[in-house]
């Protein structure tokens, strides 16, 4: 009989999912942004790009600060925010109401879905001239176009959220004596809330786009006006200030809606 | 209050447009303060029957009646297999739901809900959301929500079948203890023969689809029930008798799926 080998063969199990790990790389996140700004500033200082076409970040910052101190920037931001707020409130209130009605009542669904399907694909900017014809050059037409842009994502998302409401929960509510409006208020709306907030996020992007477009026609204030006017007189630094403000508005609304989501939907936290 | 189910039939149309007969000519009476188990193989329409009693679906023929209903109390309240708690309401909010629909004032509602939270062993969890609770705790909320409205009949649709075996055993004990105190009329749907015999006064055995009443069997066990009874000849014989009744049915249902 042969002697047994002194070493038994062993295969070590290795973690085969390692390449699937996605570490956060916090430093890279910050470095990416800083790197871009530094590169931009360096390009300007090296004289690679004329300042008229691409003002340096520091120049934009300085200009922004001056405009803030003179009050000019706040006038524009204030005018824009007011239009956004009105358009957002009107558009989302109507959108949620229509979404709930179409999602819950068969009659409203039969009437509403074809109408929404037919009007939803129209680029809302195309309606701006029509709205100006109807409502005049003043604020109402600006607010109306934003409200229209907000209305559709809100109505469609609310509708989808209402349709997704768990039939079991609706039956449970009915089993405990809930009528139609109780079911809407206590089951359907809370069920649709995550979709409604997602709709707000979509609407925020659309609203910003339409705001700038609307402010490029016959207004004397607003960030959109600032961008267009600065471009016309080749004040590129001012133009860039306007763009930075728009980007900040976008980031802020995203952050604010995130906060709103956590406040409105506490049962989702950590679920 | 008696619950009278009179020649009830339910046919529904499935996704492919075919007519499916879920219940056929089911007649059954549940006496006041009686604990009746509805037992049958999966797909026998026992949940359909319970939903018909709760008024949660249109029936095709026959009807459900409540004889000498109490005044000022809801006729039924339901406990669901999948708990069906409102995820956006805390434990307290869920237990108060039915009371809200009854139009009870907020202070009274809070008081009543706290009593039920106490009885069902949920004290200290009032402010939790359902997703923060274990399955057993969730079903306690489901039971508290149903008992809070003080229904004339409590309808339970496989209330413990989503729980693990140990939790189920404990919850059965708790429900029996609760029932000893309140003696609410209970219609209890289950597919578990041991559970049906252990808990109920009477077991109504349904056939597989279309569901009909195969047999009504009185359970020869005294109240209050204790775990030790699960070794008594009366218990074992009843379980055996029911099993022999539905064995073929269950086998056929298995082959079908």
């Amino acid at each position: 009989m042969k002697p047994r080998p002194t070493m038994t063969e062993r295969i070590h199990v290795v973690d085969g999912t390692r390449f699937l790990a996605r570490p956060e790389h916090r430093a890279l996140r910050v470095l990416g942004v800083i790197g871009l700004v530094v590169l931009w500033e360096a390009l300007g200082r090296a004289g690679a790009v004329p300042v008229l076409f691409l003002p340096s970040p520091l120049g934009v910052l300085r200009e922004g600060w001056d405009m803030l101190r003179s009050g000019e920037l706040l006038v524009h931001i204030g005018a824009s925010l007011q239009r956004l707020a009105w358009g957002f409130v009107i558009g989302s209130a109507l959108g949620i109401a229509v979404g709930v009605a179409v999602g819950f009542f068969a009659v409203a669904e039969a009437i509403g879905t074809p109408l929404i399907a037919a009007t939803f694909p129209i680029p809302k900017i195309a309606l701006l001239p029509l709205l100006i014809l109807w409502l005049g050059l003043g604020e109402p037409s600006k607010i109306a176009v934003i409200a229209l842009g907000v209305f559709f994502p809100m109505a469609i998302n609310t509708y989808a959220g209402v349709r997704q409401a768990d039939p079991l929960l609706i039956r449970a509510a009915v089993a405990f004596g809930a009528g139609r409006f109780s079911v809407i208020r206590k089951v359907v709306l809370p069920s649709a809330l995550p979709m409604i907030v997602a709709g707000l996020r979509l609407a925020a992007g659309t609203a910003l786009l339409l705001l700038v477009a609307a402010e490029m026609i016959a207004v004397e204030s607003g960030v959109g006006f600032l961008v267009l006017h600065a471009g016309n007189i080749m004040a590129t630094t001012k133009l860039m200030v306007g763009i930075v403000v728009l980007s900040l508005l976008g980031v802020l609304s995203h952050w604010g809606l995130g906060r709103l989501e956590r406040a409105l939907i506490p049962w989702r936290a950590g679920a | 209050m008696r619950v009278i189910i009179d020649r009830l039939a339910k046919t529904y149309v499935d996704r492919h447009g075919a007519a499916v007969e879920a219940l056929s000519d089911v007649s059954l009476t549940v006496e006041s303060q009686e604990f009746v188990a509805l037992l049958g193989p999966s797909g026998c329409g026992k949940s359909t029957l319970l939903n018909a009693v709760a008024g949660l679906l249109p029936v095709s023929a026959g009807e459900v009646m409540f004889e000498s209903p109490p005044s000022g109390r809801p006729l039924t309240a339901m406990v669901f297999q999948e708990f069906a708690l409102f995820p956006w309401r805390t434990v307290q909010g869920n237990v108060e739901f039915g009371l809200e629909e009854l139009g009870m004032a907020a202070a009274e509602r809070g008081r009543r809900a706290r009593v039920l939270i106490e009885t069902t062993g949920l004290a200290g969890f009032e402010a939790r959301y359902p997703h923060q609770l274990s399955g057993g705790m969730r079903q306690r909320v489901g039971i508290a929500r149903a008992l809070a409205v003080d229904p004339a009949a409590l309808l339970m649709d496989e209330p413990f079948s989503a729980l693990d075996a140990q939790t189920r055993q404990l919850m059965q004990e708790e429900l029996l203890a609760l029932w000893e105190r309140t003696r609410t009329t209970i219609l209890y749907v289950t597919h578990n023969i041991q559970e049906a015999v252990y808990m109920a006064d009477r077991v109504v055995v349904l056939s597989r689809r279309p569901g009909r009443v195969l047999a009504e069997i009185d359970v020869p066990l005294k109240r209050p029930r204790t775990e030790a009874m699960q070794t008594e000849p009366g218990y074992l014989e009843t379980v055996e008798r029911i099993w022999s009744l539905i064995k073929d049915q269950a086998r056929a249902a298995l082959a079908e799926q």
Side-chain angles (χ1 to χ4, degrees), chain A residues 21-160:
Chain A
R22 292 177 54 84
E24 226 185 312
H25 294 304
R26 274 167 181 270
L28 278 182
R29 279 163 204 264
V30 181
L31 277 176
V33 176
I34 292 176
L36 183 72
V37 175
V38 167
L39 183 72
W40 176 6
E41 182 75 36
L43 277 176
R45 289 194 181 212
V49 186
V51 178
L52 183 62
F53 294 131
L54 189 66
S56 74
L58 282 177
V60 173
L61 212 61
R62 211 175 298 124
E63 181 68 37
W65 177 245
D66 288 345
M67 289 169 74
L68 203 62
R69 283 193 13 184
S70 72
E72 186 187 354
L73 197 55
L74 286 180
V75 169
H76 291 308
I77 292 177
S80 288
L81 281 181
Q82 206 164 6
R83 290 174 189 130
L84 270 181
W86 277 111
F88 220 81
V89 167
I90 294 170
S92 49
L94 287 176
I96 291 171
V98 167
V100 168
V102 171
F104 194 78
F105 298 102
V107 173
E109 182 170 31
I111 298 171
T113 20
L115 283 180
I116 290 175
T119 48
F120 162 65
I122 302 170
K124 304 308 165 279
I125 299 179
L127 294 176
L128 187 54
L130 188 66
L131 289 170
I132 289 174
L133 245 136
W134 288 350
L135 301 171
L137 280 168
E139 292 300 301
S141 61
K142 309 320 186 240
I143 291 169
V145 77
I146 294 170
L148 259 180
V150 169
F151 170 81
F152 282 94
M154 290 311 294
I156 289 167
N157 263 43
T158 305
Y159 169 69

Side-chain angles (χ1 to χ4, degrees), chain B residues 52-119:
Chain B
V53 175
L56 293 177
L57 50 83
V59 299
S60 309
E63 62 177 329
V64 179
M65 289 167 285
F66 299 103
E67 198 174 86
S68 47
S71 60
R73 285 165 68 191
L75 298 171
T76 62
M78 187 117 157
V79 178
F80 297 84
Q81 179 183 358
E82 313 86 345
F83 317 136
L85 302 178
F86 303 112
W88 44 85
R89 284 178 173 243
T90 59
V91 168
Q92 177 89 25
N94 267 289
V95 177
E96 284 188 28
F97 184 88
L99 302 172
E100 281 173 33
E101 298 307 314
L102 288 176
M104 191 181 277
E108 178 70 25
R109 226 161 51 210
R111 213 172 309 127
R112 176 104 190 105
R114 269 190 294 280
V115 172
L116 265 301
I117 283 170
E118 192 77 41
T119 0

Side-chain angles (χ1 to χ4, degrees), chain B residues 15 91 133 136 139 153 221-222:
Chain B
R15 269 175 304 167
V91 168
L133 302 175
Q139 196 54 299
L221 297 177
K222 286 197 291 288

